[in-house]
Amino acid sequence: MNKTYSGGCACGAIRYQTSSEPIFQNHCQCRDCQKRSGTGHGSYLTFPSRADVTVKGEASTWRVSGDSGNEKVHAFCPTCGTPAYLTFVAMPELFTVPATSLDDPGQFHPQALTYAVRGHAWDTIDPALTAFERMRG
């Protein structure tokens, strides 16, 4: 029996759910994640198929180009402002959620640290995690 991963924004207007297993779970110390989180990193679970995720509620979005030049589409709740999920123009099948948006954040099990080159000394991440200077390509 598969686990269910469910979560959403702080006010409950945006909800998501999937029974898919994440294909990648990471902490990211890129400047975009730092600014969005208000701290030294973001933490994410990426699922392989957008088609297997049910989303309820209407999110607002904004786009930013990554180092590769590919656009990331950030979805957030227009009511409470909470980041809800993230998609990628070049890989539309992927669906990424912030670990803290999960109903059970204990389901997050980080596998790697990305953009370690942009980390701050005050934002310590488990040194046992594989760290990549930038995103694996």
Side-chain angles (χ1 to χ4, degrees), residues 14 17 33 35 42 47-48 58-59 62 77 85-87 92 94 101-102 108 111 121 126:
I14 307 287
Q17 181 173 321
C33 288
K35 289 178 181 180
F47 296 92
E58 292 296 319
W62 62 280
C77 177
Y85 56 89
L86 175 66
T87 57
L94 299 181
S101 72
L102 290 167
F108 175 62
Q111 301 164 304
D126 181 355

Side-chain angles (χ1 to χ4, degrees), residues 13-45:
I14 307 287
R15 298 286 304 157
Y16 62 80
Q17 181 173 321
T18 184
S19 294
S20 294
E21 287 293 320
I23 57 171
F24 190 54
Q25 299 184 58
N26 69 301
H27 295 299
C28 181
Q29 290 181 317
C30 78
R31 288 293 293 147
D32 179 48
C33 288
Q34 291 172 5
K35 289 178 181 180
R36 282 180 17 125
S37 71
T39 188
H41 67 278
S43 301
Y44 304 97
L45 297 87

Side-chain angles (χ1 to χ4, degrees), residues 108-132:
F108 175 62
H109 301 287
Q111 301 164 304
L113 168 64
T114 55
Y115 285 95
V117 70
R118 296 192 184 134
H120 302 288
W122 50 262
D123 184 40
T124 56
I125 300 287
D126 181 355
L129 286 177
T130 301
F132 299 95

Side-chain angles (χ1 to χ4, degrees), residues 75-97:
F76 65 95
C77 177
T79 302
C80 66
T82 305
Y85 56 89
L86 175 66
T87 57
F88 307 89
V89 173
M91 297 173 283
E93 68 281 359
L94 299 181
F95 190 84
T96 299
V97 300

